[in-house]
Structure formats: C-alpha cells, structure tokens
Amino acid sequence: MVRTPLTPRERQRGERFGALLRQARGERSMVDVAAAAGVSAETLRKIETGRAPTPAFFTVAALAAALDISLDELASACADDPAQDGPAALSA
C-alpha cells in the first residue's frame, strides 16, 4: 500500500496533537504513559514529535484514556481552524 503524502495542514494538525499530548503528560515519563496506553514509548515519541501525525484511532483513544483527556477535547484542540483558509474554504 502506498500512502499519499500528507498536506502541510495535516502535518500541522499532527504537530498540534503531539504538543497537546506532551503538555497533558506533564511530569509523567514517556515510558509510563506509553505503558498505560499499551503502546511503545517509540510510538508515543513519534506522535509527540510529529513524525507520526496520523496515529490510528485506537492509539489516540488509548493515549487519551491514559492521560485522562476526553476524545472531544482532543478533537477540538487539534481541529483545523477554518479562519486560516479564508472565506473561500468555508463555502467549499
């Protein structure tokens, strides 16, 4: 399977998601959070640094549970800002 390249917007959304996870993790170690979520520390590292900007839904859900963040909070914090695109994008 060949993946299509991510758009700049998708990469930025992944970076916002990673930053949110880093902030929510606070003083907890990456290893502890990854173990609580059932993912590898390397997976969490890739997500937090934006190298894995589109993690699987179940990975996102597990990380949200481990960090006590609702999926709604994650979605709204990482959603694209329509204002970035101007009025033309809103009517599309």
Side-chain angles (χ1 to χ4, degrees):
M1 177 172 95
V2 176
R3 287 188 169 189
T4 58
L6 296 175
T7 66
R9 176 187 283 164
E10 289 168 328
R11 284 193 297 276
Q12 290 170 349
R13 186 175 53 222
E15 290 168 1
R16 285 194 307 272
F17 179 63
L20 178 65
L21 291 182
R22 271 193 310 277
Q23 180 181 6
R25 185 165 56 84
E27 297 296 318
R28 292 176 67 184
S29 79
M30 192 175 287
V31 173
D32 288 342
V33 172
V39 301
S40 71
E42 182 60 21
T43 295
L44 180 54
R45 183 181 341 280
K46 286 179 181 177
I47 294 168
E48 284 190 359
T49 60
R51 289 183 15 233
T54 57
F57 172 78
F58 292 104
T59 300
V60 173
L63 288 168
L67 294 168
D68 198 28
I69 304 171
S70 77
L71 290 174
D72 287 337
E73 286 179 81
L74 283 176
S76 64
C78 297
D80 289 333
D81 182 4
Q84 290 177 326
D85 300 320
L90 295 175
S91 61

